[in-house]
C-alpha cells in the first residue's frame, strides 16, 4: 500500500492490475506492507529517503511519522544512519549501500526522491519502486520492494542507471539497506566446510560492523552461506520473539554488513561482495542487483521459517508445488568403479527397491583422459567407451525396460588440466596468465563470463537431452572455488566475479526454457552453493556429502529454517553406525533417495527398505507440501523431534530421534505437538516399523488436537528405540 495524494491509475490488460505513482513531495511517508509487517519510508524535507519504521504493522498508518522524527539527535544523523539506500561520498560517513565514481572522476553521491509507484501483479504480490536521482549527476537508482503479502516475505533489490555522458564505475552496489530498532540484536550465522555445512553460531551484535561474506567465486558458500537470522531484543525461540530471516539470492561472492550504529539501531546492508568487483556502466547501461529476500515475524523462528517455506514453494523454488522422484544413486556404492554390467545390475536393484529413478554419478565420461578418479576427464563429456560401450542411451533404455527413470551427474562448469578440453581451449579456463596454476580437487573453473563457454556448458546438457530425450534427472555439481581469478575474455577483470554468476544464470535460463520438466539437483560437493538465486532453477539441493544420519539431523535442522523439505535431497547411505531404520527415517524428512549397495542388504533390511519406500509414498505429500514444526532441537535435548502438518490439518507426521546416548534416556516426557487443529480428534500410529512388535501395543486412543498440543505425546525414543515415526490422522 502507498500513501498517495494524486495517484495516477493505469489498468493494463493482463498481469498488472494497477499502478499508482507518486511524484516528488516533501515530508511524506511511504508504507510497504505485508500481512503483518511494514517498512515505512520517510521522504524528508530535503527529499532524502530514510527508514522511519520497520517491523510489526501499526493500526494507524499516520503514526509512522512519529517514530523517527527527522531531527532526532542533531543534523549530523538525520536521514543518514537510517538512509533507505546509503550513498557514499557526500554527507554520509557510515558504511554505504552504494559507492560510485562518476564519468568525470568525482566520487560523491547524494540521492534524492523523485517518485514512487506500486504495481500490483495479483491479489498477493505487489512491487513498490522508489526512484532516486543524484542532485548533481545524471545517475538514477530505483529501489524495488516485491511484497508477498500473505507470506510476509519481501524481496528487495536495486537498479542503478547511468545517464551520464561517460562511464560510471560502481564500487559498491548493495541490494538492500534495512534499518532495525531494538534494545539488542542477536545474529545467528552459519559456517561450515565440506561435510560440515550449516554450523550455527549465535552472538550479540555489538557496536561496529560485523561482516558475513564470501570471496570464493564459485562453490561460494562453502565456508559461509548468505543466509542468517537477526533477533531483536533477545534471541528468538521457535515460538517467541522478533526475528528476521534473510538471504542474498546470489550464487557468488556476497557481503552482509551488520552495523550497530551510534543510536543503537541496526544498519543491515546486503549485496554482492564489492571485493575486487568494481563494475563499469557505459552511458545508458544499468545494473540490476540480485534480490535480498527476508521475512520478519514477531512470533519466533517457527512462523518465520514456515512463511519462507510457503514463499519458496509458491514462488521461487523450481516446481515448488510439484512432486519429486525417489531414487537410487551409485556414488557411494561404486564411486568411479563401474561398467555397463554393474550399472545394469543397479538398474534392476532400483526396480527391486521400488524407487522411481536411477542416478548415475561421476565417472561415466572421458576417453583420452578417462574419468576413473577425480584427477582427469572433467570437460570431456563423451561417454567412456570402456565403461559404457553402448553409451548413455543404452542405460536410459535399460532403465525403461526395468520400469524406472534415468538421471545423470554433470559438473559442467569445471575442467581438469588432464582433459582434451583444457588442451583445446586453455583460454576458456580461469587462471592467471603468468602465474602457476593452483587447483582445487585437481580442477579449474571455466570462464562463464565468456558467451562461448556459456554455449559450451549449455551444449553439454543439450547434447545429453537431444541424444536421450527420456533422461529425467540431472545432478549439477560444482566442486571447486576460483583461484587466480583472471578471464582472458573480459576487458575489465573486476567484472569476472559478477559476470561469472550472470553467465551461469544465463545458461540455466536456457536449460530451463528448453527442458522445463526435467528434475535438477543442485550440488556443490554438498551444500557449497545453496541459495534462492540458484534454486529458482533447481527442484532440490544436496545438503551435504555428510550422510551420517546423526550429523545429518543437525544439518537438516539448521537448513530447515530456510528451505522447505521438498527441496532437501536426503540419501540413505552407509555413513554412520545407526541401523538402516534410523538412516531411512532421517532421509524421509525431505526427498528420499538411497545410495547403498542394495544387493548387499540382508533380507530383513531389504524388506524394510522396500516397505519404507511404500510408506514414504503415503506421507511424502505432507512432508513436501505441509507446514514444518520443529518440536525439539537436538542441540538442546538428547533427542530431536520435528513434525509436518498438511494444510487441512487432518494429517501429520512426526519424526523423533535419539541424538545423544549419554544417559540413555531419550524422551522421558511427552513432546508437545504443534500445528494441529485443537478441536479435531486424532489417531496416533507408529509407522515405518522395522520389526513388529517393537514395544507393547499402545492403546488405540483418539486424542484431541488440544490434548496433543497441550499435554503432548511421548514417542518413547531411547537407546533401544532410536527413531520413531508417528502418523497423526484425524479420527473419523
Ligand atoms: C561431489 C558430490 C558427491 C559426488 C561427487 C562425485 O563431492 O557432492 O555427491 O557426486 O562429487 O565426484
Amino acid at each position: 500500500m502507498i500513501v498517495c495524494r494524486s495517484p495516477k491509475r493505469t489498468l493494463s490488460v493482463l498481469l498488472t492490475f494497477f499502478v499508482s505513482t507518486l511524484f516528488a513531495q516533501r515530508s511524506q511517508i511511504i508504507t510497504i506492507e505485508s500481512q503483518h509487517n511494514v517498512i515505512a519510508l520517510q521522504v524528508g524535507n530535503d527529499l532524502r529517503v530514510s527508514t522511519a519504521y520497520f517491523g510489526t504493522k501499526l493500526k494507524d498508518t499516520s503514526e509512522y511519522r512519529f517514530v523517527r522524527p527527522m531531527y532526532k539527535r542533531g543534523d549530523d544523523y538525520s536521514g543518514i544512519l537510517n538512509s533507505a539506500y546509503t550513498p557514499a561520498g557526500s554527507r554520509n560517513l557510515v558504511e554505504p549501500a552504494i559507492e560510485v565514481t562518476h564519468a568525470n572522476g568525482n566520487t560523491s553521491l547524494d540521492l534524492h526522491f523523485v517518485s514512487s509507484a506500486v504495481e500490483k501483479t495479483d491479489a498477493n504480490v505487489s512491487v513498490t519502486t522508489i526512484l532516486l536521482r543524484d542532485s548533481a549527476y545524471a545517475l538514477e537508482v530505483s529501489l524495488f520492494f516485491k511484497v508477498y503479502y500473505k507470506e510476509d516475505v519481501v524481496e528487495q533489490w536495486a537498479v542503478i542507471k547511468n545517464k551520464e555522458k561517460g562511464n560510471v564505475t560502481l564500487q559498491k552496489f548493495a541490494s538492500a539497506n534495512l534499518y532495525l530498532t531494538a534494545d539488542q540484536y542477536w545474529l545467528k550465522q552459519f559456517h561450515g566446510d565440506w561435510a560440515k555445512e550449516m554450523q550455527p553460531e549465535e552472538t550479540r551484535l555489538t557496536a561496529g560492523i560485523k561482516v558475513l561474506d564470501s570471496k570464493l567465486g564459485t562453490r561460494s558458500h562453502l565456508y559461509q552461506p548468505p543466509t542468517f537470522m537477526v533477533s531483536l531484543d533477545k534471541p528468538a525461540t521457535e515460538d517467541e520473539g522478533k526475528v528476521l530471516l534473510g538471504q542474498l539470492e546470489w550464487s557468488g561472492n556476497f557481503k552482509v554488513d551488520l552495523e550497530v550504529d551510534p543510536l543503537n539501531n541496526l544498519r543491515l546492508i546486503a549485496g554482492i561482495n564489492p571485493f575486487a568487483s568494481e563494475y563499469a556502466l557505459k552511458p545508458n547501461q544499468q545494473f540490476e542487483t540480485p534480490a535480498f529476500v527476508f521475512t520478519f515475524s514477531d512470533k519466533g523462528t517457527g512462523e518465520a521459517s514456515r512463511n519462507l517455506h510457503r514463499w519458496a514453494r509458491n514462488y521461487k523454488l523450481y516446481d515448488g508445488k510439484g512432486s519429486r522422484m525417489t531414487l537410487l544413486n551409485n556414488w557411494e556404492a561404486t564411486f568411479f568403479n563401474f561398467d555397463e554390467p554393474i550399472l545394469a545390475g543397479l538398474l534392476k536393484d532400483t526396480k527391486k527397491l521400488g524407487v522411481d529413478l536411477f542416478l548415475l554419478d561421476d565417472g561415466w565420461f572421458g576417453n583420452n583422459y578417462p574419468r576413473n578418479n577425480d584427477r582427469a576427464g572433467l570437460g570431456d563429456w563423451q561417454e567412456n567407451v570402456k565403461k559404457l560401450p553402448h553409451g548413455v542411451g543404452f542405460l536410459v533404455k535399460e532403465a525403461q525396460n526395468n520400469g524406472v527413470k534415468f538421471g545423470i551427474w554433470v559438473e559442467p562448469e569445471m575442467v581438469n588440466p588432464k582433459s582434451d578440453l583444457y588442451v583445446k581451449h586453455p583460454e576458456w579456463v580461469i587462471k592467471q596468465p603468468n602465474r602457476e596454476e593452483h587447483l582445487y580437487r585437481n580442477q579449474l573453473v571455466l570462464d562463464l563470463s565468456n558467451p562461448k563457454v556459456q554455449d559450451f556448458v549449455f551444449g553439454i546438457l543439450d547434447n545429453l537431452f537431444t541424444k536421450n530425450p527420456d533422461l529425467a534427472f540431472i545432478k549439477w555439481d560444482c566442486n571447486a572455488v576460483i583461484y587466480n581469478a583472471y578471464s582472458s575474455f573480459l576487458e575489465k577483470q573486476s567484472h569476472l566475479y559478477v559476470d561469472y554468476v550472470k553467465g551461469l544464470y544465463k545458461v540455466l535460463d536456457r536449460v530451463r526454457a528448453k527442458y522445463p520438466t526435467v528434475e535438477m539437483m543442485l550440488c556443490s560437493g554438498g551444500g557449497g552453493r545453496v541459495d534462492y538465486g540458484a534454486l529458482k532453477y533447481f527442484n532440490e539441493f544436496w545438503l551435504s556429502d555428510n550422510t551420517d544420519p546423526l550429523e545429518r539431523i543437525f544439518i537438516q535442522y539448521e537448513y530447515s529454517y530456510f528451505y522447505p523439505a521438498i527441496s532437501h535431497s536426503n540419501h540413505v547411505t552407509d555413513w554412520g553406525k545407526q541401523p538402516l531404520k534410523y538412516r531411512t527415517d532421517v532421509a524421509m524428512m525431505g526427498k528420499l533417495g538411497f545410495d547403498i549397495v542394495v544387493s548387499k542388504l540382508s533380507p530383513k533390511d531389504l524388506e524394510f527398505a522396500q516397505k519404507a519406500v511404500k510408506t514414504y509414498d503415503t506421507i511424502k505429500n505432507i512432508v513436501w507440501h505441509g507446514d514444518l514444526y520443529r518440536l525439539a532441537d537436538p542441540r538442546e535435548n538428547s533427542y530431536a523431534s520435528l513434525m509436518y502438518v498438511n494444510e487441512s490439518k487432518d494429517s501429520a507426521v512426526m519424526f523423533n530421534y535419539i541424538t545423544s546416548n549419554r544417559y540413555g534416556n531419550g524422551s522421558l516426557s511427552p513432546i508437545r505437538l504443534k500445528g494441529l487443529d485443537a478441536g479435531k480428534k486424532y489417531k496416533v500410529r507408529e509407522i515405518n516399523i522395522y520389526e513388529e512388535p517393537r514395544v507393547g501395543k499402545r492403546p488405540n486412543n483418539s486424542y484431541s488436537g488440544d490434548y496433543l498440543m497441550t499435554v503432548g505425546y511421548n514417542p518413547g525414543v531411547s537407546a533401544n528405540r532410536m527413531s520413531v515415526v508417528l502418523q497423526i490422522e484425524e479420527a473419523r
Side-chain angles (χ1 to χ4, degrees):
M1 209 204 83
I2 193 164
V3 180
C4 38
R5 306 252 160 87
S6 56
K8 200 174 76 187
R9 289 193 174 190
T10 318
L11 265 180
S12 78
V13 211
L14 274 170
L15 281 176
T16 307
F17 284 165
F18 89 102
V19 179
S20 62
T21 309
L22 173 75
F23 293 100
Q25 269 170 8
R26 290 163 204 276
S27 197
Q28 56 173 312
I29 296 276
I30 299 167
T31 54
I32 299 152
E33 293 186 354
S34 60
Q35 191 177 174
H36 298 105
N37 306 318
V38 67
I39 302 172
L41 299 178
Q42 185 166 40
V43 182
N45 289 326
D46 55 7
L47 287 178
R48 294 190 178 98
V49 183
S50 56
T51 304
Y53 178 79
F54 176 103
T56 312
K57 270 195 236 180
L58 299 180
K59 292 206 171 60
D60 181 353
T61 52
S62 73
E63 290 189 325
Y64 294 123
R65 72 200 151 98
F66 300 142
V67 180
R68 189 163 285 117
M70 280 303 288
Y71 300 104
K72 185 169 178 173
R73 230 174 87 175
D75 192 40
D76 285 344
Y77 290 122
S78 71
I80 294 182
L81 294 176
N82 60 331
S83 167
Y85 198 65
T86 316
S90 50
R91 300 188 312 157
N92 163 53
L93 304 175
V94 284
E95 183 62 31
I98 178 169
E99 189 182 353
V100 307
T101 304
H102 297 283
N104 67 357
N106 185 287
T107 54
S108 68
L109 188 66
D110 196 4
L111 296 169
H112 286 185
F113 180 73
V114 179
S115 64
S116 73
V118 185
E119 195 170 317
K120 227 171 166 349
T121 38
D122 61 34
N124 193 45
V125 183
S126 64
V127 180
T128 298
T129 313
I130 315 273
L131 176 61
L132 308 171
R133 189 176 293 138
D134 188 83
S135 46
Y137 290 90
L139 190 106
E140 284 181 1
V141 175
S142 298
L143 305 180
F144 290 87
F145 300 81
K146 186 166 187 179
V147 176
Y148 302 84
Y149 190 85
K150 272 196 290 198
E151 293 82 7
D152 274 319
V153 167
V154 178
E155 281 181 296
Q156 196 187 334
W157 70 97
V159 171
I160 303 158
K161 192 160 187 186
N162 176 14
K163 293 188 152 183
E164 298 181 23
K165 297 225 159 57
N167 285 3
V168 162
T169 307
L170 308 181
Q171 268 91 23
K172 190 170 185 189
F173 33 92
S175 302
N177 184 172
L178 301 180
Y179 199 64
L180 313 180
T181 300
D183 292 338
Q184 296 177 6
Y185 307 93
W186 289 82
L187 170 70
K188 189 163 174 187
Q189 66 186 97
F190 302 88
H191 61 94
D193 199 339
W194 178 78
K196 284 195 202 116
E197 288 83 347
M198 294 300 275
Q199 306 290 320
E201 199 163 11
E202 188 158 37
T203 43
R204 186 176 165 185
L205 291 169
T206 53
I209 305 181
K210 167 88 184 183
V211 173
L212 306 178
D213 82 334
S214 160
K215 302 183 185 80
L216 302 182
T218 43
R219 205 181 181 179
S220 42
H221 310 147
L222 179 61
Y223 303 131
Q224 181 147 263
T227 304
F228 60 93
M229 301 180 191
V230 174
S231 298
L232 303 187
D233 299 327
K234 56 182 183 190
T237 62
E238 198 61 25
D239 298 309
E240 273 175 18
K242 296 180 204 147
V243 64
L244 174 141
L245 268 53
Q247 176 188 90
L248 189 73
E249 299 177 30
W250 184 246
S251 313
N253 293 349
F254 67 90
K255 182 164 185 253
V256 181
D257 306 295
L258 299 130
E259 180 175 10
V260 178
D261 74 10
L263 299 177
N264 195 46
N265 294 313
L266 180 68
R267 309 182 66 246
L268 193 167
I269 297 172
I272 291 176
N273 197 338
F275 165 75
S277 292
E278 61 174 39
Y279 210 89
L281 288 185
K282 294 189 181 124
N284 282 319
Q285 262 191 348
Q286 62 178 39
F287 186 92
E288 180 168 336
T289 73
F292 174 66
V293 61
F294 62 92
T295 187
F296 179 77
S297 169
D298 61 4
K299 294 187 188 61
T301 50
E303 184 181 272
S305 66
R306 282 186 291 281
N307 284 341
L308 206 55
H309 293 176
R310 283 197 200 109
W311 165 79
R313 288 194 304 261
N314 291 337
Y315 297 102
K316 188 56 69 164
L317 175 70
Y318 198 82
D319 197 23
K321 293 194 271 198
S323 79
R324 302 290 186 266
M325 284 180 280
T326 52
L327 58 82
L328 177 67
N329 186 197
N330 70 312
W331 176 241
E332 307 257 330
T334 65
F335 293 105
F336 296 97
N337 309 318
F338 55 81
D339 58 15
E340 225 169 61
I342 293 179
L343 295 180
L346 294 182
L347 285 165
K348 291 208 165 54
D349 288 345
T350 310
K351 180 68 185 166
K352 199 195 246 177
L353 195 56
V355 290
D356 302 317
L357 175 134
F358 175 74
L359 170 60
L360 174 59
D361 215 285
D362 196 357
W364 57 269
F365 50 89
N367 284 300
N368 288 335
Y369 301 92
R371 181 77 172 163
N372 291 330
N373 50 51
D374 64 12
R375 292 190 294 278
L378 282 176
D380 300 348
W381 297 99
Q382 298 79 34
E383 292 97 327
N384 178 284
V385 290
K386 276 204 191 129
K387 285 181 181 170
L388 307 183
H390 302 98
V392 169
F394 170 80
L395 295 170
V396 177
K397 278 226 184 65
E398 197 55 25
Q400 268 165 357
N401 295 339
N402 283 289
V404 294
K405 304 254 192 236
F406 191 84
I408 203 160
W409 177 97
V410 288
E411 195 181 356
E413 298 158 74
M414 302 288 160
V415 62
N416 285 119
K418 287 187 186 158
S419 68
D420 289 334
L421 180 71
Y422 181 88
V423 175
K424 201 167 157 209
H425 285 295
E427 80 285 7
W428 284 4
V429 180
I430 296 180
K431 55 177 180 161
Q432 289 286 350
N434 49 5
R435 291 188 195 279
E436 209 184 310
E437 277 173 4
H438 193 58
L439 309 182
Y440 191 106
R441 204 195 188 202
N442 310 304
Q443 65 198 52
L444 292 161
V445 183
L446 292 175
D447 179 8
L448 269 176
S449 71
N450 182 341
K452 287 206 179 112
V453 178
Q454 293 166 21
D455 288 344
F456 170 78
V457 172
F458 172 72
I460 298 167
L461 280 291
D462 200 29
N463 282 340
L464 276 169
F465 287 123
T466 311
K467 285 203 213 142
N468 310 292
D470 291 320
L471 203 58
F473 190 99
I474 292 288
K475 175 177 176 185
W476 182 306
D477 212 339
C478 165
N479 279 299
V481 301
I482 294 180
Y483 288 125
N484 286 320
Y486 179 89
S487 154
S488 38
F489 167 76
L490 286 175
E491 265 171 47
K492 285 206 185 319
Q493 291 305 316
S494 63
H495 287 202
L496 179 57
Y497 288 128
V498 170
D499 286 358
Y500 182 94
V501 181
K502 289 193 171 172
L504 171 66
Y505 291 163
K506 271 188 200 152
V507 173
L508 289 166
D509 276 328
R510 285 166 74 184
V511 171
R512 274 320 191 184
K514 197 157 171 195
Y515 304 105
T517 55
V518 82
E519 209 169 304
M520 295 216 292
M521 183 206 286
L522 171 69
C523 176
S524 184
R529 181 170 67 182
V530 189
D531 63 88
Y532 279 114
L535 285 173
K536 179 180 163 197
Y537 304 99
F538 289 88
N539 307 62
E540 54 202 67
F541 68 96
W542 184 233
L543 287 68
S544 176
D545 275 358
N546 191 337
T547 46
D548 174 322
L550 184 57
E551 293 299 335
R552 195 71 185 197
I553 289 171
F554 289 78
I555 293 175
Q556 290 177 198
Y557 204 89
E558 300 305 324
Y559 271 121
S560 83
Y561 287 107
F562 301 93
Y563 303 102
I566 189 169
S567 66
H568 294 203
S569 301
N570 296 336
H571 293 181
V572 177
T573 72
D574 286 331
W575 284 48
K577 299 189 191 79
Q578 291 75 11
L580 182 66
K581 155 141 176 84
Y582 191 97
R583 289 181 269 145
T584 312
D585 288 350
V586 174
M588 278 184 168
M589 296 194 300
K591 203 296 284 278
L592 174 69
F594 292 82
D595 199 344
I596 47 171
V597 186
V598 176
S599 59
K600 286 198 183 142
L601 291 177
S602 70
K604 258 186 174 174
D605 272 1
L606 176 63
E607 195 194 331
F608 168 77
Q610 289 166 326
K611 274 205 296 192
V613 173
K614 294 207 173 86
T615 304
Y616 180 71
D617 279 341
T618 67
I619 58 163
K620 65 187 182 189
N621 278 318
I622 308 171
V623 174
W624 293 348
H625 305 294
D627 274 329
L628 166 67
Y629 292 84
R630 285 172 292 262
L631 308 179
D633 185 339
R635 284 189 168 76
E636 290 163 14
N637 303 279
S638 56
Y639 52 90
S641 180
L642 300 95
M643 72 184 280
Y644 302 84
V645 185
N646 74 351
E647 210 184 335
S648 47
K649 295 181 183 289
D650 51 20
S651 281
V653 205
M654 180 186 182
F655 294 89
N656 309 277
Y657 311 92
I658 188 148
T659 51
S660 161
N661 279 330
R662 277 189 64 206
Y663 303 109
N665 282 341
S667 57
L668 291 179
S669 38
I671 298 174
R672 283 188 204 108
L673 279 67
K674 291 178 189 169
L676 298 173
D677 182 335
K680 282 189 169 140
K681 285 271 191 188
Y682 296 94
K683 290 264 185 211
V684 181
R685 181 171 74 92
E686 184 175 356
I687 57 169
N688 216 33
I689 295 169
Y690 188 81
E691 217 174 10
E692 305 208 42
R694 297 185 69 214
V695 283
K697 278 247 179 290
R698 295 222 188 183
N700 189 22
N701 293 335
S702 303
Y703 305 88
S704 66
D706 177 38
Y707 176 91
L708 292 171
M709 293 193 289
T710 311
V711 176
Y713 189 91
N714 192 347
V717 284
S718 66
N720 304 323
R721 253 166 79 80
M722 294 174 66
S723 65
V724 175
V725 183
L726 299 173
Q727 186 165 39
I728 298 122
E729 289 277 344
E730 186 177 0
R732 294 181 201 270

